[in-house]
Amino acid sequence: MIPEIRSTSISSARPQAGLPAPVTTPASAQVASDSVEVRPQSSLERLLAATAPEAANLEAELGEHVPGEVLVKLKSQPPTKSQNSFAQRFGATVLERFEFPKEIYQNFKGEMLHLKLPEGMTTAQALAAMQQDPRVEYVMPNNVYTLDDPPAENASVAPQGASPDSPKVPNDLKPELWGLHNTGQKGGTPNADIDAPEAWAVTTGDPNGPIIAVIDTGVDYKHPDLVNNIWVNPGEIAGDGIDNDGNGVIDDVYGYNAFANNGDPMDGHSHGTHCAGSIAAEGNNDQGVVGVNWRARIMPVKIFSDAGSTNSAAIVRGILYATKNGARITSNSWGGGAADPAIRDAFANSPALHIMAAGNSRADNDVRPHYPSSYDLPNKVAVAATDRNDKLASFSCYGEKSVEVAAPGVDIYSTIPGGGYANKSGTSMATPHVAGAAGLLLASDPTMSNDEIKTRLLEGADKLDSLQGKVSTGARLNVAKAITMEYETTEKPTA
Ligand code: CA
Ligand code: CA
């Protein structure tokens, strides 16, 4: 695991690497020091030499990362000239400057850069040297991330007659959708579900409602069961090769491909399309499935390649795009690896509520943190997975302190690219149930604060014996209760 690398002030007492080990008597030490011939070095060479032992130690600790690149946060907001001078000091070039606009971000103070290192400089050398620079708040590798999902449970689902006894039932509430409405189909436990039909009696979602960003492998925005629920960028004209709305991306009509940095977030994988369907496959349209929302606005933000891998820079780009373009909720079915201060900063300084998968390695995240879901942020909800009998899924990570709630995540039937449908399992599938519930809450009342949404999601959840000690609420999502429960907007005065 890579520790968060904080800057330290340059210590004048730091010995220069390459000097002989100190000898025992002051007299001989004086002689040894005087006798060393130092050839003229550039200040960068001296710095690299001075930090060589640190770099050697770091090298072993680095996880998989993009070679020759780092992300650095500079403390103040210097003019471009100063960024360039920082890069020049290390022979690096600025690949991109992440925009944290002041009008959106209240807390982020500084400047985040994505740098290309010069030939021959290793990432560990750059980290060790740059953290000595007093302008640096932190510097980190451009970490590599991969999708982490348990193998699909490929049981074919025989449609059975559902007998919903609930207030509002769409014509596409298939029996496969046990997580929305469980009548005991396929050996499940009746009512081990999120009570979607009961919530739909209040609202079924809003085609002009809150923007829900699916930060994932992209979304098949042409899927017949999703096409009417995809966010459309109002300021962009399709296919004219111009960035009409000036948001930095050309022709981003249906979202953003942050991995390739272009305007086409089409999903060539399937993971993101599946998540999108659980949030808001169109309801009651006589086809396919229904999501937690019948109607909604899904913003596809593709951070992964179609092979399912990505890096810190692409993830930060994706989160910033979602925030800059009005996402109110983000759904994040990915994670793992090292703590990543740049990604943490992007989430922390966003006004959106971020729903995050707890991970699929069966680990206790309180002991072995899983990022981003383990970041201690007021605007995140980490989600574990349950099965059709309200048991914690065998693969699911958990954490009494760091995971807030559970949701259905085994044998989840949803949309896949090309107009199809399939079962998938994972905390990846549980997360969009919670993100969808957050969207439904906002559809019922667009003025809800993050605090209120989070409180309703957590306090409205169904407490289960199987989840005690596993998630902080000991409970599985119940969207109907989340919407209908009483919520105190102010603290009661203490007697
Ligand atoms: Ca644009
Ligand atoms: Ca449908």
Side-chain angles (χ1 to χ4, degrees):
M1 173 174 307
I2 306 160
E4 205 168 297
I5 298 160
R6 294 277 171 198
S7 68
T8 53
S9 58
I10 294 172
S11 163
S12 56
R14 177 178 293 279
Q16 186 164 340
L19 288 178
V23 282
T24 47
T25 71
S28 57
Q30 186 63 44
V31 171
S33 178
D34 287 343
S35 67
V36 172
E37 271 191 276
V38 182
R39 71 176 174 85
Q41 286 178 309
S42 73
S43 58
L44 176 57
E45 282 175 325
R46 278 199 300 276
L47 184 57
L48 289 178
T51 52
E54 237 174 288
N57 289 336
L58 267 175
E59 190 70 55
E61 291 180 38
L62 294 181
E64 193 184 349
H65 58 274
V66 180
E69 295 185 7
V70 295
L71 272 60
V72 61
K73 182 178 176 185
L74 303 179
K75 279 171 190 161
S76 56
Q77 300 192 355
T80 309
K81 195 175 167 192
S82 166
Q83 297 164 21
N84 288 340
S85 83
F86 176 83
Q88 273 164 16
R89 183 186 176 205
F90 297 95
T93 45
V94 179
L95 289 176
E96 64 185 311
R97 173 182 164 274
F98 296 103
E99 275 190 61
F100 282 71
K102 265 188 220 149
E103 59 274 21
I104 296 176
Y105 300 90
Q106 292 87 38
N107 308 316
F108 187 80
K109 291 184 178 62
E111 199 74 31
M112 197 187 290
L113 304 175
H114 178 193
L115 299 180
K116 177 83 185 160
L117 303 175
E119 275 304 307
M121 186 187 287
T122 68
T123 304
Q125 277 178 319
L127 297 180
M130 288 179 183
Q131 69 180 330
Q132 301 291 332
D133 190 303
R135 289 170 287 187
V136 169
E137 182 170 326
Y138 58 70
V139 54
M140 51 168 275
N142 190 9
N143 292 314
V144 167
Y145 288 80
T146 51
L147 280 173
D148 158 40
D149 276 311
E153 322 232 342
N154 54 4
S156 66
V157 181
Q160 303 171 14
S163 52
D165 52 358
S166 34
K168 196 157 183 178
V169 177
N171 55 29
D172 44 11
L173 181 63
K174 291 226 169 34
E176 289 91 330
L177 301 171
W178 67 265
L180 302 182
H181 186 55
N182 193 339
T183 56
Q185 62 267 46
K186 279 199 78 189
T189 302
N191 211 30
D193 60 33
I194 69 166
D195 278 352
E198 292 84 343
W200 293 332
V202 180
T203 177
T204 55
D206 182 352
N208 300 306
I211 296 171
I212 306 168
V214 176
I215 301 180
D216 209 285
T217 62
V219 175
D220 177 4
Y221 47 81
K222 295 177 178 168
H223 194 295
D225 226 358
L226 293 171
V227 66
N228 292 329
N229 283 347
I230 301 291
W231 170 74
V232 178
N233 183 351
E236 199 67 25
I237 298 164
D240 67 354
I242 298 169
D243 178 15
N244 309 93
D245 65 349
N247 68 354
V249 186
I250 293 166
D251 292 345
D252 54 324
V253 178
Y254 302 115
Y256 177 46
N257 181 338
F259 185 81
N261 192 22
N262 66 42
D264 188 0
M266 182 50 74
D267 182 11
H269 183 282
S270 84
H271 190 270
T273 301
H274 197 277
C275 292
S278 293
I279 294 170
E282 185 175 356
N284 210 36
N285 65 346
D286 285 310
Q287 62 177 310
V289 296
V290 57
V292 177
N293 298 262
W294 298 13
R295 298 301 310 276
R297 279 199 289 175
I298 291 170
M299 175 192 282
V301 177
K302 181 183 173 83
I303 57 165
F304 284 93
S305 69
D306 288 340
S309 87
T310 187
N311 56 67
S312 305
I315 295 170
V316 171
R317 269 199 298 276
I319 299 165
L320 292 183
Y321 178 90
T323 303
K324 206 156 73 174
N325 293 283
R328 187 64 189 79
I329 304 291
T330 74
S331 189
N332 300 274
S333 290
W334 50 272
D340 197 313
I343 292 173
R344 185 187 191 284
D345 258 340
F347 280 125
N349 293 289
S350 156
L353 182 66
H354 307 291
I355 316 300
M356 300 174 174
N360 303 315
S361 62
R362 305 163 195 242
D364 180 348
N365 290 354
D366 292 353
V367 177
R368 231 185 75 190
H370 171 275
Y371 299 106
S373 68
S374 289
Y375 290 128
D376 184 18
L377 296 173
N379 59 339
K380 75 96 186 177
V381 176
V383 185
T386 50
D387 66 14
R388 65 177 74 241
N389 294 300
D390 262 343
K391 299 283 185 278
L392 186 70
S394 59
F395 53 77
S396 183
C397 291
Y398 57 93
E400 193 172 9
K401 293 193 182 76
S402 56
V403 181
E404 278 82 15
V405 72
V410 180
D411 283 344
I412 301 303
Y413 192 61
S414 185
T415 44
I416 56 169
Y421 300 85
N423 272 333
K424 288 183 191 287
S425 298
T427 57
S428 285
M429 284 67 240
T431 299
H433 283 82
V434 178
L440 211 54
L441 282 167
L442 280 166
S444 77
D445 177 2
T447 68
M448 272 189 201
S449 66
N450 283 350
D451 282 349
E452 178 169 355
I453 299 165
K454 185 168 172 174
T455 301
R456 286 178 174 277
L457 291 172
L458 302 191
E459 290 186 7
D462 287 329
K463 290 203 183 301
L464 300 170
D465 289 344
S466 61
L467 297 174
Q468 299 311 307
K470 298 294 188 187
V471 296
S472 67
T473 54
R476 183 255 307 124
L477 177 69
N478 184 313
V479 64
K481 280 200 223 164
I483 286 184
T484 56
M485 68 176 262
E486 293 290 319
Y487 175 79
E488 300 285 337
T489 52
T490 50
E491 295 287 334
K492 283 180 183 161
T494 47

